[in-house]
Every structure is written in structure tokens, then in C-alpha cells.
Amino acid sequence: MANKDAYKFNSKIHVYRAMRRMTQQELAELVGVSRQTIMQLERNRYNPSMLLVYAIAQVFGVTIEELFDFSEE
């Protein structure tokens, strides 16, 4: 089994939010989390659940792969 700590991701949530002129609070309310969670996601300091990632991708009408860059360390 692969070590989950061997992978990292970079979020592009802030880019999609800016294109929509959406605040962190507005996005947080749409997906049912706190503004602090969105802030931590944008800073790549929070490892979100797949359900949250999917919900955010749905808000922006993009795929998960478009929203996050995944790589091995």
C-alpha cells in the first residue's frame, strides 16, 4: 500500500474563486464548511475529503483534476 504522505497537492481554488469574484465565505457556505477550511485548502494546509473536493469542483463546474494538481514527493 502506498504511503499517503508521499503525495501532495496544490489547490487552484483561489484562482477559480477570483474568476467568479467569490469570497471564501460564499464558497464555504455553498459547500457547507467554514471560511477557515477554505482558507486552509487554498494554502494547501488541509487534506480535504473526496466529498468536499467534489462539491467544490461542482460549484466551479470543473473536474477535480482541474481544481488540484497532484504529485508524488
Side-chain angles (χ1 to χ4, degrees), residues 57-71:
Q58 292 293 100
V59 166
F60 296 124
V62 299
T63 65
I64 292 170
E65 290 81 9
E66 289 173 296
L67 196 58
F68 294 95
D69 289 326
F70 297 92
S71 62

Side-chain angles (χ1 to χ4, degrees), residues 19-51:
M19 290 186 329
R20 295 260 179 116
R21 297 177 187 251
M22 181 182 289
T23 67
Q24 289 176 338
Q25 185 64 43
E26 290 169 333
L27 177 57
E29 289 172 3
L30 286 172
V31 297
V33 297
S34 69
R35 184 192 62 80
Q36 289 80 9
T37 298
I38 299 300
M39 179 180 63
Q40 295 299 320
L41 274 170
E42 290 183 353
R43 293 179 178 175
N44 303 312
R45 293 183 180 166
Y46 177 69
N47 190 3
S49 71
M50 286 301 296
L51 291 174

